[in-house]
Amino acid sequence: MENKLEKKYGLFTAICMVVGIVVGSGVFFKAQVILQKTGGDMPLGVLAWLIGGAIMIVCILAFSAMAQKYEKVNGIVDYAEAIVGKRYGYYIGWFLSTTYYPTLTSALAWLSARYTLVFVTSVDPDFPLIVPAEAGGCIIGPECLALMLFYMVCAYAVNALSPKLAGKFQVATTVIKFIPLALMAVVGIIFGLANGMLTNNFTTPAVGYEVTGSPLFAAVCATAFAYEGWIIATSINAELKDSKRNLPKALLIGGLIIVATYILYYIGVAGGATNQELCDSGATAAFINVFGPVLGNILNLFIAISCMGTMNGLMLGCCRGPYSLAARGEGPHPELFSQVDKVSNLPNNSAILGLFYCAAWGLYFYLSNLAGTWSHAVAFVGTPFESVIFFFDPTELPIITIYALYIPIFINWMKKATDESALRRYVIPTLAICGSVFMVIACLIGHKMGNFWYLLTFAVIMLIGKRFAKNNA
């Protein structure tokens, strides 16, 4: 076996990976969440999408400059190692492989299963489910769990057996998922302007949704999930042709496409249904109003395919996470997880460990966030924390952590990039730091005590990672 990955991806595939990894379920179901958090205030929702998109773009610009100088095994780990130090690079790699990639992958596997069942039950209302659809069977039923596991294993199999096929699947699903987004963005805006719905929604909030705390912070926090994932595309820099030139282009072009698509789609949805309908029923109501019940229900199929494409891109990062550490002689058993299969040209042992991490986080996500098994569990009996439920959202909190971990990279880049222009050395990183701090603050305000339990879990995972650090081996 050769411990070297081949250059197999081009610029177009890289752009599709950036767009395909980011544009998934988030734009579909977070649009409803953002409306609810802002009390149906459409202008405030658009502002939240703009802020989230601006933060993503400035971070992309900062990392694009780094991508033109450093290329090794895994983009962000390479940058952290070169700019901050090997220890910091290791801990970022450990966090990505054990927490960041697998939490998002398991959540997308569930969303793929959920929207598949929603589509099936919309086509055939009598489709037998152990837990009826109206009782939440499409969300927490055993069929949903089984389909979630099936999709997760399928994503692993495609990436493990044929990385080139995984790349082609990413391109195909990226094209497919843009069909409903483009249709609603264009037709929805025209439809809304013609019947006055769009104007009305921008001036009339929904009722019945109490806004507490800071709605803008909460809404921006929700956009974090919809915008996240682009950094995973840097994990293929060792497999990207002319990476130093193509990766920055892919990140920037993909990022601009994503922001424009999200905002136009969000406005288009507002042209198809009232704020009240959107808060209560989500984007499905707008699609049914604009395109009729048949095409409206097909939306759920497009969402399922969209989620599968995003999950495929996330699994790509999961498969390469342990390898990015092992290739540096770090992490558990580097000699085992640094092996690259000579036929598939994928680190299969690394991919197996990545699948295990996905399964572990999928178990927590299902039991805590979906089934509610731990919804009333408490800990620290006899202390002030006894009344705090052991619960945190693994789809949003790891995203906020990665923004916090970006900050030392940006600061050290400003210190060391002496050969860069003032714009690339100071202005862009400073804006990226401000955006990252904003995301952290939004998380602290939006998730309240969920931050405590997540950070406690994060600390334990980092301590385990310390055990496998090279200087402790």
Side-chain angles (χ1 to χ4, degrees):
M1 294 187 180
E2 299 180 2
N3 293 326
K4 186 177 180 180
L5 297 174
E6 298 175 356
K7 301 286 187 179
K8 60 177 80 73
Y9 301 123
L11 175 60
F12 182 69
T13 300
I15 293 173
C16 287
M17 284 185 175
V18 174
V19 176
I21 291 171
V22 176
V23 178
S25 62
V27 66
F28 293 108
F29 84 93
K30 286 296 182 181
Q32 180 182 6
V33 173
I34 290 168
L35 267 175
Q36 292 173 346
K37 289 183 179 294
T38 58
D41 189 328
M42 187 63 66
L44 193 61
V46 172
L47 179 60
W49 283 112
L50 282 170
I51 292 173
I55 292 172
M56 179 187 71
I57 293 297
V58 293
C59 288
I60 282 177
L61 288 172
F63 280 114
S64 293
M66 300 173 201
Q68 292 176 333
K69 299 186 71 170
Y70 309 111
E71 176 188 351
K72 192 174 179 181
V73 179
N74 183 326
I76 185 174
V77 180
D78 298 341
Y79 314 148
E81 184 180 77
I83 297 169
V84 182
K86 288 187 175 181
R87 285 300 91 214
Y88 195 72
Y90 165 74
Y91 283 113
I92 280 193
W94 178 258
F95 168 73
L96 290 173
S97 61
T98 60
T99 307
Y100 181 79
Y101 296 152
T103 52
L104 297 180
T105 305
S106 59
L108 265 297
W110 166 72
L111 284 165
S112 300
R114 171 188 173 180
Y115 283 108
T116 300
L117 290 175
V118 169
F119 171 72
V120 170
T121 54
S122 66
V123 173
D124 181 10
D126 296 324
F127 185 82
L129 293 177
I130 293 177
V131 178
E134 57 271 16
C138 296
I139 299 175
I140 61 171
E143 295 89 353
C144 182
L145 178 60
L147 201 54
M148 169 186 172
L149 297 175
F150 174 73
Y151 283 152
M152 194 183 298
V153 173
C154 284
Y156 160 78
V158 170
N159 279 275
L161 297 176
S162 178
K164 288 186 178 179
L165 178 60
K168 291 179 181 178
F169 180 76
Q170 194 68 33
V171 172
T173 54
T174 299
V175 173
I176 291 171
K177 72 177 65 177
F178 266 84
I179 295 174
L181 292 172
L183 278 174
M184 179 51 75
V186 176
V187 180
I189 291 175
I190 296 173
F191 183 84
L193 289 173
N195 61 16
M197 183 82 72
L198 196 58
T199 304
N200 185 65
N201 280 343
F202 269 83
T203 56
T204 307
V207 297
Y209 290 90
E210 183 180 355
V211 177
T212 58
S214 174
L216 181 60
F217 278 115
V220 172
C221 198
T223 68
F225 178 84
Y227 276 122
E228 197 49 47
W230 57 270
I231 196 66
I232 298 171
T234 66
S235 67
I236 65 164
N237 67 336
E239 301 162 83
L240 183 62
K241 298 172 185 176
D242 197 1
S243 175
K244 288 185 178 180
R245 182 174 67 89
N246 286 332
L247 185 56
K249 286 184 178 180
L251 290 172
L252 183 57
I253 294 171
L256 292 173
I257 291 172
I258 291 161
V259 175
T261 301
Y262 279 13
I263 293 174
L264 290 174
Y265 169 79
Y266 189 72
I267 296 173
V269 165
T274 65
N275 282 343
Q276 194 68 49
E277 289 178 303
L278 293 173
C279 285
D280 294 339
S281 305
T284 303
F287 272 83
I288 291 174
N289 290 344
V290 175
F291 300 107
V294 176
L295 289 178
N297 285 329
I298 291 178
L299 166 68
N300 295 310
L301 177 61
F302 279 106
I303 296 177
I305 294 173
S306 176
C307 293
M308 291 176 202
T310 303
M311 179 184 59
N312 174 70
L314 292 167
M315 184 60 76
L316 181 146
C318 287
C319 291
R320 290 157 177 77
Y323 171 80
S324 68
L325 297 178
R328 295 170 165 83
E330 300 274 14
H333 301 290
E335 70 287 350
L336 177 65
F337 295 111
S338 63
Q339 295 179 16
V340 177
D341 187 86
K342 63 181 180 181
V343 177
S344 66
N345 193 240
L346 187 92
N348 283 326
N349 294 332
S350 170
I352 292 170
L353 184 59
L355 180 64
F356 168 76
Y357 291 146
C358 290
W361 277 108
L363 178 65
Y364 171 79
F365 177 67
Y366 186 85
L367 292 178
S368 62
N369 286 242
L370 301 177
T373 305
W374 298 325
S375 60
H376 299 291
V378 296
F380 302 110
V381 177
T383 72
F385 291 103
E386 180 180 352
S387 60
V388 180
I389 298 172
F390 178 76
F391 172 85
F392 63 86
D393 185 350
T395 68
E396 290 187 7
L397 285 164
I399 294 171
I400 305 301
T401 309
I402 198 68
Y403 276 102
L405 294 174
Y406 290 160
I407 295 174
I409 300 176
F410 297 144
I411 292 173
N412 281 273
W413 169 262
M414 289 191 287
K415 292 179 181 178
K416 295 183 177 181
T418 56
D419 57 337
E420 295 287 347
S421 65
L423 176 66
R424 283 160 59 102
R425 183 181 178 184
Y426 295 113
V427 178
I428 292 175
T430 299
L431 292 174
I433 290 171
C434 293
S436 298
V437 171
F438 184 93
M439 281 293 193
V440 173
I441 293 173
C443 173
L444 294 173
I445 294 174
H447 286 274
K448 299 182 176 67
M449 284 307 299
N451 292 282
F452 171 79
W453 295 113
Y454 167 72
L455 290 174
L456 191 63
T457 305
F458 171 78
V460 171
I461 292 173
M462 290 297 105
L463 287 174
I464 295 173
K466 188 175 185 296
R467 165 67 181 81
F468 292 109
K470 191 174 183 179
N471 59 354
N472 289 333

